[in-house]
Amino acid sequence: MSDFVSGRPGEAWRRGLSGILDYAAESNRRAIWILLAFALIAFLPGYSKVPPIDRDEARFAQATKQMVASGEYVDIRFQNEVRYQKPVGIYWLQAAALKIADAVTTRDMQTRIYVYRIPSLIGAVGAVIATFWIALAFANRRVAILAAVMMASSILLGVEARLAKTDAMLLLTVLLCIGVLAHTYLEPPAEREKSAGLIWPIVFWAALAAGVLLKGPLILLFIGLPVVTLAIIDRSAGWLTRLRPLIGLPIFLLLVLPWFIAIIGRSGGTFLSDSVGRDLLAKVVSGQESHGAPPGYYVVLFFITFWPASILAGMATPWVWREKWETPVKFLLAWLVPAWIVFELVITKLPHYVLPLYPAIAILLAMAIDQQALSRQKWMEYGTFWWFAIPVLFFVGSLVLLLRYEGYPGWPAWPFLGAAMVFGFRAWWLYFVDGPERSMLRAAVTSVLLAIAVYWSVLPSLAMLFPSVAIAQAVRTAECSDPKVAAAGYREPSLVFLAGTDTLLTGAAGAADFLQDHKCRFAVIESSLDRTFARRAEAIGLRYTKVSQFKGYNLGSGGRITLTIYKSLGNL
């Protein structure tokens, strides 16, 4: 840390982004500290301000909340329903975060969604550092830093870092495994006799076990396909013996089997049928939950989800093709191409499925930049205009929101959107003068500034996107003790998470029955069910009053919604 008080960092700052890159590239420790700071700046804004997002995040958080409340750490439930689509790993990590948060503060942390996001934040930051570590196996430190910056500034990883789900932590486990494979595969023959230790094999098998506990056998696809591909190309897989499978497999089984045995014994086979049959295999043959898409979906989406680095992908492709048989590029393509093809063929498609493949692309792009091998085709280079166009579109969108939605305070986002347009303009306009490395760094700063504007200011200000927050606040401000909620026509898990595990998701008649004989009960009725609710209330002699009405947008179902909250006054 003495370098940070020696005056040299100040010189680096005065030289701009490339000076900071030069300074970071002088040592691994310095690079890691700077990447850590950059990743936190990229991921923390809005981390605690954005409410629970329906549906997956809220389901994971609610199941974890019930796990901690019940002390049941084997079975996974959402209210009274079993939740066996995914293994237990992420729930344990979120439960640990909740336990620690409860221990260090006197505040009630049960419904604070940012606590449940801690594992995702750790996974995303760890993935940035792991990308740096993996790239060191292929190239110099400058390339490794640039690849890690591409990951930290990518839109998709920024989203996953702020969601209490499995994908950021799965990415970290995949990268730990890939990193060990890369360093093992590329290890010079003269060094192989010296590397007889057990540290890297233990890291590999432990990370593989963690990945299975997070998302089942999916990690085996990301790790197995590169190994099989390289074995076919090289006609040899002898290097795998350095992973010590005779020692590693028992470690893997020791970590994985206890919970799987316990849950299979508890569920009587329901876990296997739900997780493998209804979740994994169903996604292969059908578009589960309306998420089907044709092949080519991920190629198109890549240019959005990996922005801003995706702008350079087309320019790097000719170099990658020329170098495809060189050992570093061959390894990266074996990591990237087979799994990408599999995901394009699978019917169910979601943007985050290919996230563990993005670091391979980042490293290839950084290597191409370092070797000054990007294509000089003008029509490709003009694509850098999108580094400027995207922040302009966000600024226009912010103005539209200001004009259309009363109460939206657009001004807190404007300084960051303005700065993003400046950096984006310089990234595009000076690309032909300063080259792709400096422009990519400016584009990365552009992306981070947009993230600050969107997650810290814009999203938290759009109350219409979060009906459950409005409902929970209305119930909490009611002057009664132990309020209970029933909802008809609105079944989002975020309501259960915020209003309480005993929230009743029912029909209009059931909501009216719920209000009987209790003056601290509330019914949330979707507008199309108002008449049914009123008829049932009249039939049972229910007295009730309207508390408030909410008009907004349901992110879970994707449509406008009007909800009315009624409070019981007892029976006639």
Side-chain angles (χ1 to χ4, degrees):
M1 296 296 288
S2 60
D3 291 327
F4 285 87
V5 294
S6 64
R8 293 179 60 200
E11 296 175 10
W13 278 103
R14 283 191 292 273
R15 290 171 53 209
L17 295 174
S18 60
I20 297 173
L21 180 58
D22 291 337
Y23 178 74
E26 291 181 9
S27 73
N28 286 345
R29 180 177 297 180
R30 190 177 296 166
I32 290 171
W33 276 110
I34 290 177
L35 286 172
L36 178 63
F38 182 75
L40 289 174
I41 293 171
F43 300 147
L44 280 178
Y47 170 81
S48 62
K49 293 185 69 177
V50 177
I53 304 294
D54 286 309
R55 294 183 169 114
D56 280 352
E57 179 182 49
R59 284 172 178 158
F60 278 108
Q62 174 60 29
T64 299
K65 185 173 73 167
Q66 290 181 217
M67 182 176 282
V68 173
S70 66
E72 171 56 73
Y73 291 95
V74 173
D75 212 5
I76 308 166
R77 292 183 177 270
F78 179 89
Q79 293 191 306
N80 293 323
E81 297 178 3
V82 295
R83 182 164 167 78
Y84 290 158
Q85 285 79 11
K86 300 291 185 292
V88 78
I90 194 64
Y91 303 102
W92 281 351
L93 292 174
Q94 291 178 358
L98 183 57
K99 284 281 192 180
I100 293 171
D102 282 336
V104 299
T105 181
T106 57
R107 300 163 65 186
D108 181 14
M109 310 302 287
Q110 297 289 318
T111 57
R112 299 184 187 275
I113 189 62
Y114 61 85
V115 175
Y116 301 84
R117 291 170 177 166
I118 290 174
S120 293
L121 177 65
I122 293 172
V125 173
V128 171
I129 305 301
T131 300
F132 167 78
W133 168 58
I134 295 171
L136 289 177
F138 306 106
N140 59 55
R141 194 177 292 122
R142 193 180 189 90
V143 169
I145 295 171
L146 189 58
V149 167
M150 291 179 187
M151 285 300 298
S153 60
S154 66
I155 289 178
L156 183 56
L157 187 56
V159 170
E160 293 299 333
R162 296 172 171 89
L163 291 176
K165 295 165 60 247
T166 58
D167 299 286
M169 280 302 301
L170 176 68
L171 172 63
L172 177 57
T173 61
V174 170
L175 294 187
L176 290 175
C177 291
I178 289 288
V180 174
L181 289 177
H183 285 272
T184 303
Y185 181 77
L186 295 170
E187 193 174 45
E191 299 293 324
R192 290 175 184 173
E193 293 300 323
K194 301 177 184 178
S195 60
L198 290 175
I199 294 178
W200 293 128
I202 290 174
V203 168
F204 175 84
W205 293 103
L208 192 67
V212 171
L213 286 172
L214 282 166
K215 213 161 184 177
L218 185 61
I219 190 174
L220 302 179
L221 182 146
F222 292 112
I223 307 306
L225 284 179
V227 168
V228 171
T229 303
L230 291 171
I232 293 173
I233 293 173
D234 296 341
R235 298 182 182 180
S236 172
W239 59 279
L240 290 173
T241 60
R242 298 198 295 280
L243 295 177
R244 303 294 188 88
L246 293 179
I247 298 174
L249 274 173
I251 294 174
F252 172 82
L253 295 174
L254 183 64
L255 293 173
V256 167
L257 284 182
W259 179 80
F260 278 93
I261 292 172
I263 193 62
I264 291 171
R266 181 75 60 86
S267 68
T270 304
F271 170 77
L272 289 179
S273 64
D274 283 2
S275 61
V276 178
R278 292 175 53 189
D279 188 60
L280 183 62
L281 295 181
K283 290 176 179 176
V284 175
V285 299
S286 63
Q288 202 174 59
E289 297 182 4
S290 303
H291 295 309
Y297 170 86
Y298 288 117
V299 173
V300 174
L301 206 62
F302 164 78
F303 290 96
I304 300 172
T305 55
F306 199 57
W307 189 89
S310 59
I311 300 301
L312 303 176
M315 288 184 272
T317 300
W319 174 83
V320 172
W321 179 253
R322 290 195 305 270
E323 301 291 321
K324 60 183 177 295
W325 298 119
E326 295 297 319
T327 301
V329 176
K330 178 176 65 175
F331 183 96
L332 291 167
L333 290 177
W335 172 8
L336 170 64
V337 175
W340 193 286
I341 292 173
V342 169
F343 282 112
E344 290 285 14
L345 295 176
V346 169
I347 302 300
T348 299
K349 292 181 174 66
L350 286 171
H352 59 265
Y353 285 179
V354 295
L355 178 60
L357 306 179
Y358 282 5
I361 301 174
I363 297 170
L364 287 169
L365 291 179
M367 291 170 64
I369 291 172
D370 183 66
Q371 297 191 24
Q372 300 181 5
L374 294 184
S375 171
R376 299 306 302 268
Q377 293 286 332
K378 291 300 181 184
W379 67 273
M380 287 188 179
E381 292 182 320
Y382 288 146
T384 56
F385 169 73
W386 288 103
W387 285 338
F388 174 55
I390 294 297
V392 170
L393 291 175
F394 271 86
F395 184 78
V396 172
S398 180
L399 291 177
V400 171
L401 289 173
L402 184 65
L403 295 174
R404 289 196 60 182
Y405 294 102
E406 184 179 352
Y408 168 69
W411 65 266
W414 289 346
F416 300 102
L417 292 173
M421 287 191 289
V422 171
F423 272 92
F425 178 79
R426 287 176 59 83
W428 161 54
W429 195 252
L430 298 179
Y431 179 86
F432 303 98
V433 178
D434 293 339
E437 183 184 88
R438 288 187 179 184
S439 289
M440 181 62 238
L441 292 174
R442 292 178 184 129
V445 174
T446 302
S447 180
V448 172
L449 289 168
L450 286 180
I452 295 172
V454 171
Y455 295 115
W456 175 75
S457 176
V458 176
L459 270 181
S461 299
L462 296 176
M464 74 286 293
L465 297 179
F466 307 104
S468 297
V469 174
I471 295 168
Q473 288 176 344
V475 170
R476 280 197 298 267
T477 56
E479 296 180 357
C480 63
S481 60
D482 193 26
K484 306 292 183 184
V485 178
Y490 181 71
R491 307 181 64 87
E492 299 307 320
S494 59
L495 179 61
V496 179
F497 177 74
L498 293 171
T501 301
D502 53 3
T503 298
L504 178 64
L505 306 179
T506 183
D513 293 339
F514 177 82
L515 293 186
Q516 287 190 94
D517 302 323
H518 202 297
K519 293 185 178 181
C520 197
R521 292 194 175 187
F522 298 83
V524 180
I525 309 298
E526 198 271 326
S527 58
S528 64
L529 300 177
D530 272 339
R531 290 185 179 180
T532 306
F533 172 79
R535 285 197 297 267
R536 179 59 180 173
E538 183 179 1
I540 63 175
L542 177 69
R543 294 186 305 131
Y544 59 94
T545 184
K546 178 179 173 181
V547 175
S548 63
Q549 189 174 73
F550 178 89
K551 293 183 178 181
Y553 190 86
N554 186 351
L555 290 173
S557 61
R560 293 184 178 276
I561 192 169
T562 299
L563 300 172
T564 306
I565 305 174
Y566 298 104
K567 181 178 181 294
S568 171
L569 296 176
N571 287 77
L572 294 174

